[in-house]
């Protein structure tokens, strides 16, 4: 498909660049806002289709779609950017460039060369570090002290294109992935506008990424957010912060899933085995492979977040009882509690499984 875009020099009064903005979640909204306030013209927005969410499973528009609706910008929501109807519409827009911020789908080769200046991706890492879907989460989990955002020209490889510019951001000792992403979304928006300004006036030329320093940041699934209490306390701390707020750190307590907010690492183990729970004047503590952590907020199954001390008053941990000893109970397949028995209540099976699983091995 031939490259589209304006022919000849920019006329007085014309926008610097005509843009298709591609993005979906809330962290992409600051970039859309910045572009709407810039000299460039956003002629359309590409975002993921409305998705069902909440207890009522109602269809909900993406945050980017909501902002585009408010601004009166046409919204394109193809099931896939490979959709022939979308590709035809896209070619007809005559855009100069397509900035991308967390769109959520791979852009096909047939679309990459449509704009004369290609697709410019804002990625929340200092490339080539943390290529992939979850760069901020992995930076926090790895204990990075400095990260940032980069703009680069999209190509078929995974975040491998030449880089236009970067902005750096320190990672605070108590930052969650959500805290850090909120800041990067704002500073990255400024970087994206500056990048497009440089493309428009011809002053900016992208540079190839170095071959060294490549690391990958695959999507963090719910299973990946389960806490491994055998790790040292400082690693447990940063892994919990790295999956906060999503998908959310969790462990198990008496065969139920217990969601965790950020924890505080402590220098001493206080004689606690990994996963062992202790309740006292200093709070609710859990042993780790080296040291211990103090729990902050916790969320028992089916309930709201509450302070760990309030949870412990109801849970009443006994000596030697711990978290994370067994996977969550599945009433239909739980082998620890034995096979399901007709007429046996799920609470009875849960108690049987808990008796085998709640005590930390000595």
């Amino acid at each position: 498909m031939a490259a589209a875009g304006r022919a000849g020099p920019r006329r007085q009064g014309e926008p610097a660049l005509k843009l298709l903005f591609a993005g979906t979640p809330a962290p992409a909204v600051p970039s859309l806002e910045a572009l709407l306030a810039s000299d460039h013209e956003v002629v359309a927005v590409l975002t993921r289709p409305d998705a069902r969410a909440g207890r009522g499973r109602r269809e909900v528009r993406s945050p980017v779609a909501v902002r585009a609706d408010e601004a009166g910008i046409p919204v394109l929501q193809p099931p896939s950017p490979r959709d022939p109807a979308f590709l035809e519409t896209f070619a007809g827009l005559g855009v100069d460039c397509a900035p991308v911020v967390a769109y959520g789908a791979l852009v096909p080769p047939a679309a990459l060369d449509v704009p004369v200046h290609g697709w410019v991706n804002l990625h929340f890492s200092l490339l080539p570090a943390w290529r992939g879907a979850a760069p901020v989460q992995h930076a926090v989990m790895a204990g990075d002290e400095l990260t940032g955002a980069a703009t680069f020209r999209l190509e078929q490889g995974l975040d491998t294109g030449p880089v236009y510019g970067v902005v750096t951001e320190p990672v605070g000792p108590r930052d969650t992935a959500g805290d850090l992403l909120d800041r990067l979304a704002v500073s990255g928006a400024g970087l994206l506008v500056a990048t497009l300004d440089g493309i428009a006036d011809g002053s900016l030329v992208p540079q190839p990424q170095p071959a060294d320093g490549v690391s990958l940041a695959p999507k963090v699934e719910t299973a990946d957010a389960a806490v491994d209490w055998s790790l040292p306390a400082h690693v447990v701390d940063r892994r919990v912060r790295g999956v906060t707020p999503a998908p959310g750190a969790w462990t198990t307590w008496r065969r139920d899933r217990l969601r965790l907010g950020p924890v505080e690492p402590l220098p001493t183990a206080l004689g606690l085995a990994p996963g062992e729970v202790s309740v006292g004047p200093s709070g609710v503590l859990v042993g780790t492979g080296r040291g211990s952590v103090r729990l902050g907020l916790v969320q028992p199954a089916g309930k709201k977040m509450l302070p760990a001390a309030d949870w412990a008053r109801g849970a009443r941990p006994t000596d030697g009882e711990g978290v994370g000893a067994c996977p969550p109970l599945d009433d239909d397949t739980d082998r620890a509690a034995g096979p399901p028995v007709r007429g046996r209540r799920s609470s009875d099976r849960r108690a049987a499984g808990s008796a085998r699983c709640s005590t930390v091995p000595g």
Side-chain angles (χ1 to χ4, degrees), residues 69-284:
D69 291 341
E70 294 171 350
I73 301 170
V75 176
L76 307 178
Q77 295 178 288
S80 166
R82 298 179 181 274
D83 182 65
F86 162 70
L87 292 174
E88 183 178 354
T89 299
F90 179 38
L93 292 174
V95 300
D96 302 302
C97 187
V100 190
V101 186
Y103 167 51
L106 294 177
V107 179
L112 287 177
D113 294 330
V114 171
V116 66
H117 294 297
W119 296 62
V120 175
N121 193 10
L122 172 63
H123 185 75
F124 296 119
S125 81
L126 298 176
L127 292 169
W130 303 127
R131 293 174 177 169
V136 177
Q137 291 164 308
H138 282 273
V140 174
M141 289 191 290
D144 290 358
E145 295 181 354
L146 185 71
T147 187
T151 48
F152 69 97
R153 181 153 179 164
L154 210 60
E155 56 183 31
Q156 291 187 48
L158 177 65
D159 301 332
T160 56
V163 172
Y164 286 101
V166 300
V167 61
T168 60
E169 180 71 36
V171 183
R174 304 308 305 155
D175 271 344
T176 66
D179 297 332
L180 186 55
L181 183 56
D182 286 346
R183 299 201 302 272
L184 288 172
V186 175
S187 60
L191 172 64
L192 182 61
V193 172
T195 297
L196 295 173
D197 290 346
I199 291 173
D201 65 21
S203 63
L204 200 54
V205 177
Q207 300 299 314
Q209 295 185 31
D212 296 331
V214 174
S215 53
L216 300 180
K219 181 180 178 180
V220 179
E221 305 287 355
T222 300
D224 302 322
V227 177
D228 181 354
W229 298 106
S230 69
L231 297 171
H234 74 281
V235 177
V236 170
D237 162 49
R238 69 193 192 199
R239 289 184 66 86
V240 170
R241 289 186 288 109
V243 296
T244 301
W250 62 276
T251 187
T252 52
W253 170 256
R254 295 174 183 169
R255 304 307 302 271
D256 279 326
R257 188 166 295 198
L258 182 69
R259 187 166 180 171
L260 305 176
V263 300
E264 180 187 354
L266 302 174
T268 58
L270 304 176
L272 299 177
E276 185 178 356
V277 176
S278 173
V279 181
S282 57
V284 181

